[in-house]
Short mmCIF file of all heavy atoms in Angstrom, two decimals:
data_model
loop_
_atom_site.label_atom_id
_atom_site.label_comp_id
_atom_site.label_asym_id
_atom_site.label_seq_id
_atom_site.Cartn_x
_atom_site.Cartn_y
_atom_site.Cartn_z
N MET P 727 76.24 94.68 88.41
CA MET P 727 77.20 95.58 87.80
C MET P 727 77.54 96.68 88.79
O MET P 727 76.67 97.16 89.52
CB MET P 727 76.62 96.18 86.54
CG MET P 727 77.54 97.12 85.85
SD MET P 727 76.83 97.61 84.27
CE MET P 727 77.65 99.14 84.06
N ILE P 728 78.81 97.07 88.81
CA ILE P 728 79.24 98.17 89.67
C ILE P 728 79.90 99.25 88.82
O ILE P 728 80.42 98.97 87.73
CB ILE P 728 80.19 97.72 90.80
CG1 ILE P 728 81.51 97.18 90.24
CG2 ILE P 728 79.51 96.69 91.69
CD1 ILE P 728 82.55 96.93 91.31
N VAL P 729 79.87 100.47 89.33
CA VAL P 729 80.56 101.60 88.73
C VAL P 729 81.38 102.23 89.83
O VAL P 729 80.87 102.53 90.92
CB VAL P 729 79.57 102.63 88.14
CG1 VAL P 729 80.31 103.81 87.56
CG2 VAL P 729 78.67 101.98 87.10
N LEU P 730 82.67 102.43 89.59
CA LEU P 730 83.58 102.96 90.59
C LEU P 730 84.36 104.13 90.01
O LEU P 730 85.00 104.00 88.96
CB LEU P 730 84.56 101.86 91.03
CG LEU P 730 85.69 102.24 91.96
CD1 LEU P 730 85.15 102.72 93.30
CD2 LEU P 730 86.62 101.07 92.15
N SER P 731 84.29 105.26 90.69
CA SER P 731 85.09 106.42 90.32
C SER P 731 86.11 106.62 91.43
O SER P 731 85.73 106.78 92.60
CB SER P 731 84.19 107.66 90.20
OG SER P 731 84.99 108.81 90.02
N ALA P 732 87.38 106.60 91.08
CA ALA P 732 88.44 106.72 92.08
C ALA P 732 89.48 107.73 91.61
O ALA P 732 90.19 107.49 90.65
CB ALA P 732 89.10 105.36 92.31
N THR P 733 89.53 108.88 92.27
CA THR P 733 90.48 109.92 91.89
C THR P 733 91.65 109.94 92.86
O THR P 733 91.48 109.71 94.06
CB THR P 733 89.82 111.31 91.88
OG1 THR P 733 89.30 111.59 93.17
CG2 THR P 733 88.69 111.37 90.87
N ALA P 734 92.81 110.20 92.33
CA ALA P 734 94.05 110.34 93.11
C ALA P 734 94.38 109.10 93.92
O ALA P 734 94.77 109.20 95.08
CB ALA P 734 93.99 111.58 94.00
N VAL P 735 94.20 107.92 93.33
CA VAL P 735 94.63 106.69 93.99
C VAL P 735 95.97 106.27 93.38
O VAL P 735 96.29 106.62 92.26
CB VAL P 735 93.58 105.56 93.87
CG1 VAL P 735 92.31 105.92 94.61
CG2 VAL P 735 93.28 105.22 92.43
N PRO P 736 96.77 105.51 94.13
CA PRO P 736 98.09 105.11 93.62
C PRO P 736 97.98 104.27 92.35
O PRO P 736 96.99 103.56 92.13
CB PRO P 736 98.66 104.27 94.77
CG PRO P 736 97.87 104.62 95.98
CD PRO P 736 96.52 105.04 95.49
N LEU P 737 99.03 104.32 91.54
CA LEU P 737 99.05 103.57 90.29
C LEU P 737 98.90 102.07 90.50
O LEU P 737 98.24 101.40 89.71
CB LEU P 737 100.34 103.86 89.52
CG LEU P 737 100.44 105.26 88.91
CD1 LEU P 737 101.79 105.43 88.24
CD2 LEU P 737 99.32 105.49 87.92
N HIS P 738 99.48 101.55 91.56
CA HIS P 738 99.37 100.11 91.79
C HIS P 738 97.92 99.70 92.05
O HIS P 738 97.49 98.62 91.65
CB HIS P 738 100.27 99.65 92.94
CG HIS P 738 99.86 100.14 94.29
ND1 HIS P 738 98.93 99.49 95.07
CD2 HIS P 738 100.24 101.22 95.00
CE1 HIS P 738 98.76 100.15 96.20
NE2 HIS P 738 99.55 101.21 96.18
N LEU P 739 97.15 100.57 92.68
CA LEU P 739 95.73 100.27 92.91
C LEU P 739 94.94 100.35 91.61
O LEU P 739 94.07 99.53 91.35
CB LEU P 739 95.15 101.20 93.96
CG LEU P 739 93.69 100.94 94.32
CD1 LEU P 739 93.49 99.51 94.82
CD2 LEU P 739 93.20 101.93 95.35
N ARG P 740 95.27 101.32 90.77
CA ARG P 740 94.61 101.41 89.46
C ARG P 740 94.86 100.14 88.66
O ARG P 740 93.98 99.61 88.00
CB ARG P 740 95.09 102.63 88.70
CG ARG P 740 94.60 103.94 89.30
CD ARG P 740 95.08 105.13 88.53
NE ARG P 740 94.44 105.14 87.21
CZ ARG P 740 94.74 106.01 86.27
NH1 ARG P 740 95.65 106.94 86.47
NH2 ARG P 740 94.12 105.98 85.11
N GLY P 741 96.08 99.63 88.73
CA GLY P 741 96.40 98.38 88.05
C GLY P 741 95.61 97.21 88.60
O GLY P 741 95.13 96.37 87.85
N ALA P 742 95.46 97.16 89.92
CA ALA P 742 94.69 96.08 90.55
C ALA P 742 93.23 96.16 90.14
O ALA P 742 92.58 95.13 89.90
CB ALA P 742 94.84 96.15 92.06
N LEU P 743 92.70 97.37 90.05
CA LEU P 743 91.30 97.53 89.66
C LEU P 743 91.06 97.03 88.24
O LEU P 743 90.01 96.44 87.95
CB LEU P 743 90.88 99.00 89.77
CG LEU P 743 90.72 99.54 91.19
CD1 LEU P 743 90.49 101.04 91.15
CD2 LEU P 743 89.60 98.84 91.93
N THR P 744 92.03 97.23 87.36
CA THR P 744 91.85 96.80 85.97
C THR P 744 91.90 95.27 85.82
O THR P 744 91.56 94.76 84.77
CB THR P 744 92.87 97.45 85.03
OG1 THR P 744 94.19 97.09 85.44
CG2 THR P 744 92.70 98.96 85.01
N ARG P 745 92.33 94.56 86.84
CA ARG P 745 92.26 93.10 86.79
C ARG P 745 90.82 92.61 86.89
O ARG P 745 90.49 91.54 86.42
CB ARG P 745 93.08 92.49 87.93
CG ARG P 745 94.54 92.68 87.77
CD ARG P 745 95.30 91.98 88.87
NE ARG P 745 96.68 92.38 88.82
CZ ARG P 745 97.40 92.71 89.87
NH1 ARG P 745 96.87 92.67 91.07
NH2 ARG P 745 98.65 93.08 89.73
N TRP P 746 89.98 93.39 87.53
CA TRP P 746 88.60 93.00 87.78
C TRP P 746 87.58 93.82 87.01
O TRP P 746 86.47 93.36 86.76
CB TRP P 746 88.28 93.13 89.28
CG TRP P 746 89.12 92.24 90.12
CD1 TRP P 746 90.26 92.59 90.79
CD2 TRP P 746 88.92 90.86 90.39
NE1 TRP P 746 90.77 91.51 91.45
CE2 TRP P 746 89.96 90.42 91.22
CE3 TRP P 746 87.95 89.95 90.00
CZ2 TRP P 746 90.06 89.13 91.67
CZ3 TRP P 746 88.04 88.64 90.46
CH2 TRP P 746 89.09 88.24 91.29
N LEU P 747 87.93 95.06 86.67
CA LEU P 747 86.98 95.98 86.06
C LEU P 747 87.57 96.59 84.80
O LEU P 747 88.79 96.61 84.62
CB LEU P 747 86.65 97.11 87.05
CG LEU P 747 86.15 96.69 88.44
CD1 LEU P 747 86.13 97.88 89.38
CD2 LEU P 747 84.79 96.04 88.34
N LEU P 748 86.72 97.14 83.95
CA LEU P 748 87.18 97.86 82.76
C LEU P 748 87.31 99.34 83.11
O LEU P 748 86.42 99.92 83.72
CB LEU P 748 86.17 97.72 81.63
CG LEU P 748 85.98 96.33 81.06
CD1 LEU P 748 84.83 96.34 80.06
CD2 LEU P 748 87.25 95.83 80.42
N GLU P 749 88.43 99.94 82.72
CA GLU P 749 88.62 101.38 82.93
C GLU P 749 88.12 102.08 81.67
O GLU P 749 88.82 102.19 80.67
CB GLU P 749 90.09 101.69 83.19
CG GLU P 749 90.32 103.12 83.61
CD GLU P 749 91.75 103.39 84.05
OE1 GLU P 749 92.64 102.53 83.81
OE2 GLU P 749 91.99 104.46 84.62
N VAL P 750 86.87 102.55 81.70
CA VAL P 750 86.23 103.10 80.50
C VAL P 750 86.72 104.51 80.19
O VAL P 750 86.74 104.92 79.03
CB VAL P 750 84.70 103.06 80.60
CG1 VAL P 750 84.21 101.63 80.60
CG2 VAL P 750 84.18 103.78 81.82
N THR P 751 87.06 105.27 81.19
CA THR P 751 87.75 106.55 81.06
C THR P 751 88.72 106.60 82.22
O THR P 751 88.58 105.83 83.18
CB THR P 751 86.80 107.78 81.12
OG1 THR P 751 86.17 107.81 82.39
CG2 THR P 751 85.75 107.72 80.02
N PRO P 752 89.70 107.48 82.19
CA PRO P 752 90.64 107.53 83.32
C PRO P 752 89.90 107.69 84.65
O PRO P 752 89.06 108.58 84.81
CB PRO P 752 91.50 108.75 83.02
CG PRO P 752 91.48 108.83 81.53
CD PRO P 752 90.09 108.42 81.14
N GLU P 753 90.18 106.79 85.56
CA GLU P 753 89.65 106.78 86.92
C GLU P 753 88.17 106.43 87.03
O GLU P 753 87.56 106.63 88.07
CB GLU P 753 89.95 108.11 87.63
CG GLU P 753 91.43 108.42 87.67
CD GLU P 753 91.77 109.76 88.27
OE1 GLU P 753 90.91 110.65 88.31
OE2 GLU P 753 92.91 109.91 88.71
N LEU P 754 87.58 105.88 85.97
CA LEU P 754 86.19 105.41 86.02
C LEU P 754 86.16 103.96 85.58
O LEU P 754 86.55 103.63 84.45
CB LEU P 754 85.29 106.25 85.11
CG LEU P 754 83.82 105.85 85.11
CD1 LEU P 754 83.19 106.10 86.49
CD2 LEU P 754 83.06 106.62 84.05
N TYR P 755 85.68 103.08 86.47
CA TYR P 755 85.72 101.65 86.26
C TYR P 755 84.31 101.07 86.30
O TYR P 755 83.49 101.49 87.12
CB TYR P 755 86.56 100.97 87.35
CG TYR P 755 87.95 101.52 87.44
CD1 TYR P 755 88.23 102.64 88.23
CD2 TYR P 755 89.00 100.95 86.74
CE1 TYR P 755 89.51 103.16 88.31
CE2 TYR P 755 90.28 101.46 86.82
CZ TYR P 755 90.53 102.57 87.60
OH TYR P 755 91.79 103.08 87.68
N VAL P 756 84.04 100.09 85.45
CA VAL P 756 82.75 99.39 85.46
C VAL P 756 83.01 97.90 85.31
O VAL P 756 84.01 97.48 84.73
CB VAL P 756 81.81 99.87 84.33
CG1 VAL P 756 81.44 101.32 84.49
CG2 VAL P 756 82.40 99.60 82.97
N GLY P 757 82.09 97.11 85.85
CA GLY P 757 82.22 95.67 85.70
C GLY P 757 81.20 94.93 86.53
O GLY P 757 80.46 95.51 87.32
N THR P 758 81.19 93.62 86.34
CA THR P 758 80.33 92.73 87.09
C THR P 758 81.21 91.80 87.90
O THR P 758 81.99 91.03 87.33
CB THR P 758 79.43 91.92 86.14
OG1 THR P 758 78.69 92.83 85.34
CG2 THR P 758 78.48 91.03 86.91
N VAL P 759 81.12 91.91 89.21
CA VAL P 759 81.93 91.09 90.12
C VAL P 759 81.04 90.58 91.24
O VAL P 759 79.94 91.09 91.46
CB VAL P 759 83.12 91.89 90.71
CG1 VAL P 759 84.10 92.29 89.63
CG2 VAL P 759 82.64 93.12 91.46
N SER P 760 81.52 89.60 91.97
CA SER P 760 80.78 89.07 93.11
C SER P 760 80.79 90.10 94.24
O SER P 760 81.61 91.03 94.26
CB SER P 760 81.41 87.77 93.60
OG SER P 760 82.67 88.03 94.18
N ALA P 761 79.90 89.92 95.20
CA ALA P 761 79.84 90.83 96.35
C ALA P 761 81.15 90.79 97.13
O ALA P 761 81.63 91.82 97.62
CB ALA P 761 78.67 90.47 97.25
N ARG P 762 81.76 89.63 97.23
CA ARG P 762 83.02 89.51 97.96
C ARG P 762 84.13 90.31 97.28
O ARG P 762 84.87 91.04 97.94
CB ARG P 762 83.41 88.04 98.08
CG ARG P 762 84.69 87.84 98.82
CD ARG P 762 85.03 86.39 98.98
NE ARG P 762 86.31 86.26 99.68
CZ ARG P 762 86.91 85.13 99.89
NH1 ARG P 762 86.36 84.00 99.48
NH2 ARG P 762 88.06 85.10 100.51
N VAL P 763 84.25 90.16 95.97
CA VAL P 763 85.27 90.91 95.23
C VAL P 763 84.98 92.41 95.33
O VAL P 763 85.89 93.21 95.56
CB VAL P 763 85.34 90.44 93.76
CG1 VAL P 763 86.21 91.36 92.93
CG2 VAL P 763 85.84 89.00 93.69
N ARG P 764 83.72 92.80 95.16
CA ARG P 764 83.34 94.21 95.29
C ARG P 764 83.77 94.77 96.63
O ARG P 764 84.37 95.84 96.71
CB ARG P 764 81.83 94.36 95.12
CG ARG P 764 81.35 95.78 95.30
CD ARG P 764 79.87 95.84 95.54
NE ARG P 764 79.56 95.23 96.83
CZ ARG P 764 78.45 94.56 97.08
NH1 ARG P 764 77.54 94.37 96.14
NH2 ARG P 764 78.23 94.05 98.28
N ASP P 765 83.49 94.04 97.71
CA ASP P 765 83.84 94.52 99.05
C ASP P 765 85.35 94.62 99.24
O ASP P 765 85.85 95.58 99.86
CB ASP P 765 83.23 93.61 100.11
CG ASP P 765 81.71 93.70 100.16
OD1 ASP P 765 81.14 94.67 99.60
OD2 ASP P 765 81.09 92.79 100.74
N GLU P 766 86.09 93.67 98.72
CA GLU P 766 87.56 93.72 98.82
C GLU P 766 88.13 94.89 98.02
O GLU P 766 89.02 95.60 98.50
CB GLU P 766 88.18 92.40 98.35
CG GLU P 766 87.92 91.24 99.27
CD GLU P 766 88.60 91.38 100.62
OE1 GLU P 766 89.71 91.95 100.70
OE2 GLU P 766 88.01 90.92 101.62
N LEU P 767 87.62 95.08 96.81
CA LEU P 767 88.07 96.21 96.00
C LEU P 767 87.76 97.53 96.70
O LEU P 767 88.59 98.43 96.76
CB LEU P 767 87.43 96.19 94.62
CG LEU P 767 87.89 95.10 93.66
CD1 LEU P 767 87.04 95.11 92.40
CD2 LEU P 767 89.36 95.28 93.32
N TRP P 768 86.55 97.65 97.25
CA TRP P 768 86.15 98.88 97.91
C TRP P 768 87.02 99.15 99.14
O TRP P 768 87.43 100.28 99.38
CB TRP P 768 84.68 98.86 98.29
CG TRP P 768 84.27 100.13 98.96
CD1 TRP P 768 83.87 100.29 100.25
CD2 TRP P 768 84.28 101.44 98.39
NE1 TRP P 768 83.62 101.61 100.51
CE2 TRP P 768 83.86 102.34 99.38
CE3 TRP P 768 84.60 101.94 97.13
CZ2 TRP P 768 83.75 103.71 99.15
CZ3 TRP P 768 84.50 103.31 96.91
CH2 TRP P 768 84.08 104.16 97.91
N SER P 769 87.34 98.13 99.90
CA SER P 769 88.22 98.30 101.07
C SER P 769 89.58 98.84 100.64
O SER P 769 90.12 99.76 101.28
CB SER P 769 88.39 96.97 101.81
OG SER P 769 87.19 96.57 102.39
N SER P 770 90.13 98.30 99.56
CA SER P 770 91.43 98.77 99.07
C SER P 770 91.36 100.20 98.58
O SER P 770 92.24 101.01 98.87
CB SER P 770 91.91 97.86 97.93
OG SER P 770 92.11 96.56 98.39
N VAL P 771 90.30 100.52 97.85
CA VAL P 771 90.15 101.88 97.32
C VAL P 771 89.96 102.87 98.46
O VAL P 771 90.61 103.92 98.51
CB VAL P 771 88.98 101.95 96.32
CG1 VAL P 771 88.65 103.39 95.97
CG2 VAL P 771 89.30 101.16 95.08
N ALA P 772 89.06 102.57 99.38
CA ALA P 772 88.76 103.49 100.48
C ALA P 772 89.98 103.75 101.36
O ALA P 772 90.17 104.85 101.85
CB ALA P 772 87.61 102.94 101.33
N ALA P 773 90.84 102.74 101.50
CA ALA P 773 92.05 102.90 102.31
C ALA P 773 93.15 103.66 101.58
O ALA P 773 94.10 104.12 102.20
CB ALA P 773 92.56 101.53 102.73
N SER P 774 93.01 103.84 100.26
CA SER P 774 94.08 104.43 99.45
C SER P 774 93.71 105.76 98.82
O SER P 774 94.42 106.23 97.94
CB SER P 774 94.48 103.46 98.34
OG SER P 774 94.90 102.24 98.87
N THR P 775 92.61 106.36 99.22
CA THR P 775 92.18 107.58 98.55
C THR P 775 93.09 108.77 98.81
O THR P 775 93.16 109.67 98.00
CB THR P 775 90.74 107.96 98.94
OG1 THR P 775 90.64 108.03 100.35
CG2 THR P 775 89.75 106.99 98.36
N GLY P 776 93.81 108.77 99.92
CA GLY P 776 94.71 109.88 100.21
C GLY P 776 93.98 111.20 100.15
O GLY P 776 92.99 111.41 100.84
N ASP P 777 94.43 112.11 99.28
CA ASP P 777 93.76 113.40 99.10
C ASP P 777 92.62 113.32 98.11
O ASP P 777 91.94 114.30 97.86
CB ASP P 777 94.77 114.46 98.62
CG ASP P 777 95.79 114.79 99.68
OD1 ASP P 777 95.47 114.65 100.87
OD2 ASP P 777 96.91 115.17 99.32
N GLY P 778 92.41 112.14 97.52
CA GLY P 778 91.38 111.98 96.51
C GLY P 778 90.03 111.61 97.08
O GLY P 778 89.76 111.75 98.27
N MET P 779 89.21 111.08 96.20
CA MET P 779 87.86 110.70 96.57
C MET P 779 87.45 109.50 95.74
O MET P 779 87.90 109.34 94.60
CB MET P 779 86.90 111.86 96.31
CG MET P 779 85.49 111.60 96.69
SD MET P 779 84.52 113.10 96.44
CE MET P 779 82.91 112.45 96.75
N ALA P 780 86.57 108.67 96.29
CA ALA P 780 86.06 107.51 95.56
C ALA P 780 84.57 107.38 95.79
O ALA P 780 84.08 107.65 96.89
CB ALA P 780 86.78 106.25 96.01
N VAL P 781 83.87 106.97 94.74
CA VAL P 781 82.43 106.71 94.82
C VAL P 781 82.17 105.38 94.13
O VAL P 781 82.66 105.14 93.03
CB VAL P 781 81.61 107.83 94.13
CG1 VAL P 781 80.13 107.52 94.17
CG2 VAL P 781 81.90 109.18 94.75
N LEU P 782 81.40 104.55 94.81
CA LEU P 782 81.03 103.24 94.27
C LEU P 782 79.52 103.15 94.18
O LEU P 782 78.82 103.37 95.17
CB LEU P 782 81.55 102.12 95.17
CG LEU P 782 81.12 100.70 94.83
CD1 LEU P 782 81.71 100.26 93.50
CD2 LEU P 782 81.49 99.74 95.93
N ALA P 783 79.00 102.84 93.00
CA ALA P 783 77.58 102.57 92.81
C ALA P 783 77.44 101.07 92.63
O ALA P 783 78.06 100.47 91.74
CB ALA P 783 77.05 103.29 91.57
N CYS P 784 76.65 100.45 93.52
CA CYS P 784 76.49 99.00 93.47
C CYS P 784 75.03 98.62 93.73
O CYS P 784 74.28 99.39 94.31
CB CYS P 784 77.41 98.33 94.48
SG CYS P 784 77.18 98.86 96.17
N PRO P 785 74.64 97.43 93.29
CA PRO P 785 73.25 97.00 93.46
C PRO P 785 72.84 96.95 94.93
O PRO P 785 73.64 96.65 95.81
CB PRO P 785 73.23 95.58 92.87
CG PRO P 785 74.43 95.50 92.01
CD PRO P 785 75.44 96.42 92.60
N SER P 786 71.57 97.26 95.17
CA SER P 786 71.02 97.22 96.52
C SER P 786 69.53 96.91 96.44
O SER P 786 68.88 97.21 95.43
CB SER P 786 71.25 98.56 97.21
OG SER P 786 70.76 98.52 98.53
N ASP P 787 69.00 96.36 97.50
CA ASP P 787 67.58 96.02 97.55
C ASP P 787 66.79 97.21 98.10
O ASP P 787 66.37 97.21 99.25
CB ASP P 787 67.37 94.77 98.40
CG ASP P 787 65.95 94.26 98.35
OD1 ASP P 787 65.24 94.58 97.38
OD2 ASP P 787 65.55 93.53 99.28
N ASN P 788 66.65 98.25 97.27
CA ASN P 788 65.86 99.42 97.65
C ASN P 788 65.09 99.90 96.42
O ASN P 788 65.15 99.28 95.36
CB ASN P 788 66.75 100.53 98.24
CG ASN P 788 67.80 101.03 97.28
OD1 ASN P 788 67.64 100.95 96.06
ND2 ASN P 788 68.90 101.55 97.80
N GLU P 789 64.35 100.98 96.56
CA GLU P 789 63.53 101.45 95.45
C GLU P 789 64.34 101.82 94.22
O GLU P 789 63.90 101.61 93.09
CB GLU P 789 62.69 102.64 95.90
CG GLU P 789 61.59 102.27 96.87
CD GLU P 789 60.75 103.45 97.28
OE1 GLU P 789 60.90 104.54 96.69
OE2 GLU P 789 59.93 103.28 98.19
N GLN P 790 65.52 102.40 94.41
CA GLN P 790 66.35 102.78 93.27
C GLN P 790 67.08 101.61 92.65
O GLN P 790 67.48 101.66 91.50
CB GLN P 790 67.35 103.85 93.69
CG GLN P 790 66.70 105.15 94.07
CD GLN P 790 67.72 106.17 94.54
OE1 GLN P 790 68.75 105.82 95.12
NE2 GLN P 790 67.44 107.44 94.31
N GLY P 791 67.32 100.57 93.43
CA GLY P 791 68.02 99.40 92.93
C GLY P 791 69.53 99.49 93.05
O GLY P 791 70.24 98.59 92.64
N PHE P 792 70.04 100.58 93.63
CA PHE P 792 71.47 100.72 93.84
C PHE P 792 71.73 101.60 95.06
O PHE P 792 70.83 102.29 95.54
CB PHE P 792 72.18 101.31 92.61
CG PHE P 792 71.83 102.75 92.33
CD1 PHE P 792 72.61 103.78 92.84
CD2 PHE P 792 70.72 103.07 91.57
CE1 PHE P 792 72.29 105.09 92.58
CE2 PHE P 792 70.39 104.38 91.30
CZ PHE P 792 71.18 105.40 91.82
N GLU P 793 72.97 101.54 95.54
CA GLU P 793 73.39 102.43 96.63
C GLU P 793 74.73 103.04 96.27
O GLU P 793 75.46 102.50 95.43
CB GLU P 793 73.47 101.69 97.96
CG GLU P 793 74.56 100.64 98.04
CD GLU P 793 74.64 99.99 99.41
OE1 GLU P 793 74.72 100.72 100.41
OE2 GLU P 793 74.63 98.76 99.45
N LEU P 794 75.05 104.15 96.88
CA LEU P 794 76.32 104.84 96.66
C LEU P 794 77.14 104.79 97.94
O LEU P 794 76.65 105.12 99.01
CB LEU P 794 76.08 106.30 96.28
CG LEU P 794 75.34 106.55 94.97
CD1 LEU P 794 75.08 108.03 94.79
CD2 LEU P 794 76.12 106.00 93.79
N LEU P 795 78.38 104.38 97.79
CA LEU P 795 79.34 104.41 98.89
C LEU P 795 80.38 105.46 98.55
O LEU P 795 80.83 105.55 97.40
CB LEU P 795 80.00 103.04 99.06
CG LEU P 795 79.07 101.85 99.28
CD1 LEU P 795 79.86 100.57 99.32
CD2 LEU P 795 78.26 102.03 100.55
N ARG P 796 80.78 106.26 99.52
CA ARG P 796 81.75 107.32 99.28
C ARG P 796 82.90 107.22 100.27
O ARG P 796 82.69 106.87 101.43
CB ARG P 796 81.09 108.68 99.42
CG ARG P 796 80.08 108.95 98.33
CD ARG P 796 79.28 110.14 98.64
NE ARG P 796 78.36 109.72 99.72
CZ ARG P 796 77.30 110.37 100.09
NH1 ARG P 796 77.00 111.49 99.53
NH2 ARG P 796 76.52 109.92 101.05
N ALA P 797 84.08 107.55 99.81
CA ALA P 797 85.26 107.59 100.67
C ALA P 797 86.07 108.82 100.28
O ALA P 797 86.22 109.14 99.11
CB ALA P 797 86.10 106.34 100.50
N ARG P 798 86.58 109.48 101.29
CA ARG P 798 87.42 110.66 101.06
C ARG P 798 88.54 110.65 102.10
O ARG P 798 88.29 110.49 103.28
CB ARG P 798 86.60 111.93 101.19
CG ARG P 798 87.39 113.16 100.83
CD ARG P 798 86.47 114.38 100.79
NE ARG P 798 87.20 115.53 100.32
CZ ARG P 798 87.26 115.92 99.06
NH1 ARG P 798 86.60 115.25 98.15
NH2 ARG P 798 87.97 116.97 98.72
N GLY P 799 89.75 110.79 101.63
CA GLY P 799 90.89 110.87 102.54
C GLY P 799 91.10 109.65 103.41
O GLY P 799 91.47 109.78 104.56
N GLY P 800 90.84 108.44 102.87
CA GLY P 800 91.06 107.21 103.60
C GLY P 800 89.95 106.84 104.55
O GLY P 800 90.02 105.84 105.22
N GLU P 801 88.88 107.64 104.64
CA GLU P 801 87.75 107.32 105.51
C GLU P 801 86.61 106.79 104.68
O GLU P 801 86.38 107.22 103.57
CB GLU P 801 87.28 108.58 106.25
CG GLU P 801 88.34 109.17 107.14
CD GLU P 801 87.88 110.48 107.76
OE1 GLU P 801 86.68 110.79 107.71
OE2 GLU P 801 88.75 111.17 108.29
N GLN P 802 85.86 105.85 105.23
CA GLN P 802 84.71 105.28 104.53
C GLN P 802 83.45 106.00 104.93
O GLN P 802 83.29 106.55 105.93
CB GLN P 802 84.55 103.81 104.82
CG GLN P 802 85.66 103.01 104.22
CD GLN P 802 85.40 101.52 104.37
OE1 GLN P 802 84.33 101.07 104.72
NE2 GLN P 802 86.41 100.75 104.10
#
């Protein structure tokens, strides 16, 4: 399962995210996708953040069981 918060991303990207994830509140998405889909979605979000910010919580093999990826202003 992944959790994605994406602020100030273009509407077309929000629409693309809802094809794969549920938008539980504005700009907060959750869902279960493959690692490949997760990576593709994250690449699109990170490249489109503009003045916004994005945070992705996804499974990882560590003590916490997840990792956080952050993007701000188009940088990963």
Side-chain angles (χ1 to χ4, degrees):
M727 180 173 155
I728 65 171
V729 178
L730 173 64
S731 172
T733 59
V735 295
L737 289 177
H738 68 86
L739 182 57
R740 290 181 67 185
L743 289 172
T744 60
R745 291 184 190 135
W746 298 97
L747 306 169
L748 295 173
E749 188 172 13
V750 294
T751 63
E753 302 176 338
L754 181 66
Y755 304 87
V756 297
T758 303
V759 295
S760 69
R762 180 178 178 185
V763 170
R764 177 197 67 214
D765 292 344
E766 290 294 326
L767 289 173
W768 180 246
S769 293
S770 297
V771 169
S774 302
T775 54
D777 292 332
M779 181 176 173
V781 178
L782 173 67
C784 57
S786 181
D787 188 21
N788 61 26
E789 290 181 9
Q790 293 177 329
F792 68 93
E793 67 177 308
L794 297 175
L795 304 175
R796 292 169 287 196
R798 186 172 186 93
E801 298 175 13
Q802 292 187 11

